[in-house]
Amino acid sequence: MARVKLENVVKAYGDVEVLHGIDLDINAGEFMVFVGPSGCGKSTLLRLIAGLEDISSGSMTFDGEMVNTLSPSQRGIAMVFQSYALYPHMTVFENMAFGLSLAKAGKDEIDRKVRDAAEILQITPYLERLPKELSGGQRQRVAIGRAITRDPRVFLFDEPLSNLDAALRGQTRIEIANLHSRMAGSTMIYVTHDQVEAMTLADRIVVLRDGRIEQVGTPMELYTQPANVFVAQFIGAPSMNIVPATVTAGEGMSQVAPNGGSGAIPVPLAGGAQDRVSLGVRPEDLTLAAEGEAVFSGPVSHVEQLGEVVLAYLDIGQADTPLIAKLPGTSRIERGQVIHLSADPSASHVFDAKGAAIPRAA
């Protein structure tokens, strides 16, 4: 395992700068996930760490050693790609042994490392099969096994589950989490556009947008303390509701009234009255209420019954943006019905005119 540190790392293609001064410290043994929308720079950042792209400026170190000019093989990394990249004419054993053979490892060492990796990934019965005889999930495990045999300082995963169906993604996600646990704290860096993968796998998450880091934190830190509107809406499904609001200062407790709402939420904010703020409430923090106790009221424009929960979309007069409430599956909600909702003050968020979170008063 290795500690990976990036200081003011910039990547440019000609005059076009795609990563803008990235500062990041990844602890030895940590499972770090890069997440963000398409084009945010997460795969480019991973490729810089791998040595597949050159850094335009800034520095990168592994355990204090500068690696800016080192090749991928000199850095001691192993990478698992979105595509399995297996040799179709080789058996599973031969695919997993290929890197060790190139490194002139002994036959006994190769056999031991391949079988140890196969045991970890539960693919020992498939060692003599060709890739075409395996399922997608099994092929991805072979690709991961090939990385394990190299005993790298850092594992890099570039959207490894994108080609799998929903059921296999869930199963393989658990296997990757178990792999990190079994490998005694190997440093793993994982890129995905799927915030569910990020939340369930990561020790910490890096949220990227337009080549910049928006926030770094544990999954629950990002969920409960988003730094801005972008992070608040990117983490969580369905996305956090963001509604224009007004803050009225009170004695020790501000009142946040959503525009077009039917009430206000008491929130202890650091600062006085403001009329250009946004109120953020997650769908799961809204509950059905009596009309006199409601913060939001409106007709239901759409209903999604998901069994355990029902998603109710309310028209609260905010253009084409409905308010989404995640309610118990036993709730009887119908399209066109007027319902009233209250919000949990302790789980409500307030953002300023620039989209930054307004801190709560101490």
Side-chain angles (χ1 to χ4, degrees), residues 260-262 288 291 294-303 311-325 327 332-341:
S262 53
L288 292 169
E291 183 174 359
V295 176
F296 300 101
S297 298
V300 175
S301 60
H302 183 64
V303 178
L311 300 181
Y313 294 72
L314 266 69
D315 180 0
I316 59 170
Q318 300 296 327
D320 295 326
T321 306
L323 185 85
I324 305 175
L327 304 171
R332 299 196 175 197
I333 307 294
E334 297 180 358
R335 186 172 182 174
Q337 177 184 353
V338 175
I339 64 173
H340 310 284
L341 299 168

Side-chain angles (χ1 to χ4, degrees), residues 76-203:
I77 61 97
M79 194 162 181
V80 179
F81 296 92
Q82 179 177 343
S83 60
Y84 315 126
L86 302 178
Y87 295 105
H89 63 288
M90 293 184 179
T91 65
V92 167
F93 185 99
E94 291 167 339
N95 268 282
M96 292 173 64
F98 186 71
L100 293 171
S101 299
L102 289 180
K104 309 295 184 183
K107 183 177 179 180
D108 290 344
E109 181 185 1
I110 291 174
D111 187 76
R112 175 179 58 80
K113 287 190 172 182
V114 169
R115 294 189 183 280
D116 285 349
E119 184 68 24
I120 289 172
L121 295 166
Q122 300 178 5
I123 53 174
T124 301
Y126 313 126
L127 287 175
E128 300 307 317
R129 295 189 186 183
L130 294 172
K132 67 180 181 181
E133 300 173 299
L134 305 177
S135 68
Q138 290 165 344
R139 293 179 196 179
Q140 192 57 278
R141 278 186 274 169
V142 174
I144 295 171
R146 182 173 54 192
I148 292 173
T149 60
R150 298 183 60 185
D151 194 22
R153 298 166 73 186
V154 182
F155 285 91
L156 305 176
F157 295 85
D158 191 6
E159 303 204 42
L161 309 186
S162 295
N163 290 336
L164 305 181
D165 61 37
L168 273 177
R169 279 202 303 273
Q171 176 185 340
T172 310
R173 186 172 70 234
I174 293 171
E175 289 172 353
I176 291 174
N178 290 337
L179 172 66
H180 183 246
S181 177
R182 284 195 296 264
M183 296 196 67
S186 298
T187 304
M188 295 185 176
I189 305 173
Y190 187 105
V191 162
T192 182
H193 63 276
D194 186 337
Q195 59 96 14
V196 173
E197 286 180 27
M199 292 289 287
T200 54
L201 286 172
D203 293 322

Side-chain angles (χ1 to χ4, degrees), residues 241-265:
N241 297 294
I242 302 294
V243 181
T246 300
V247 174
T248 303
E251 293 185 9
M253 190 71 69
S254 301
Q255 298 293 321
V256 184
N259 297 355
S262 53
I265 301 174

